[in-house]
Amino acid sequence: FNDQEIVALSGGHTLGRSRPDRSGWGKAETKYTKEGPGTPGGQSWTIDWLTFNNSYFTEVKAKRDAELLVLPTDAAIFEDEKFRPYAEKYAADEKAFFADYAKAHAKLSELGVAWEEGAPVTI
């Protein structure tokens, strides 16, 4: 993947939460995740973590809310000189993010997985 695709795919964190008991990252719960849907808890990257939009980029850029998760890899999209132009673009232009994310996600999906015939599958 090129830099643009990496930054665009990072925007997928606009959805969901991280749970410290599963990943080692984030808080057990925040004001945004203490209620469902689903099992409460975890720490989200965005306030409205069930809505796909460009808020991941605006929130990571602002770093204004300690209740929201910003991993070192998230911060890097605004700190790295090659990633920053794309992160800035997506923070300012949701339609551009949607278009580039769709292309990068399709590429990711189409790469598929190479399975070794007869080998066990571990998840």
Side-chain angles (χ1 to χ4, degrees), residues 96-115:
F97 165 56
F98 286 172
D100 290 349
Y101 181 87
K103 291 175 196 166
H105 193 107
K107 179 178 177 179
L108 176 67
S109 297
E110 291 168 359
L111 286 174
V113 177
W115 298 100

Side-chain angles (χ1 to χ4, degrees), residues 17-37:
R17 307 165 280 178
S18 178
R19 296 181 178 271
D21 59 324
R22 298 178 188 168
S23 68
W25 293 100
K27 297 177 181 177
E29 107 177 354
T30 70
K31 64 185 176 185
Y32 304 117
T33 64
K34 66 182 178 180
E35 312 257 332

Side-chain angles (χ1 to χ4, degrees), residues 1-109:
F1 289 94
N2 63 33
D3 293 338
Q4 178 186 21
E5 293 163 332
I6 292 167
V7 175
L9 289 172
S10 294
H13 281 151
T14 196
L15 297 174
R17 307 165 280 178
S18 178
R19 296 181 178 271
D21 59 324
R22 298 178 188 168
S23 68
W25 293 100
K27 297 177 181 177
E29 107 177 354
T30 70
K31 64 185 176 185
Y32 304 117
T33 64
K34 66 182 178 180
E35 312 257 332
T39 305
Q43 187 175 15
S44 59
W45 287 264
T46 64
I47 293 168
D48 192 8
W49 50 272
L50 291 174
T51 301
F52 191 73
N53 55 30
N54 69 333
S55 64
Y56 166 79
F57 298 102
T58 59
E59 295 295 348
V60 170
K61 181 179 180 180
K63 296 182 187 177
R64 64 179 165 228
D65 191 337
E67 294 282 294
L68 297 177
L69 185 59
V70 179
L71 299 173
T73 51
D74 301 315
I77 67 170
F78 284 98
E79 295 166 356
D80 182 272
E81 65 183 46
K82 292 182 180 178
F83 288 162
R84 186 182 315 110
Y86 303 112
E88 293 283 357
K89 174 183 175 182
Y90 301 149
D93 186 346
E94 187 174 77
K95 287 183 181 180
F97 165 56
F98 286 172
D100 290 349
Y101 181 87
K103 291 175 196 166
H105 193 107
K107 179 178 177 179
L108 176 67
S109 297

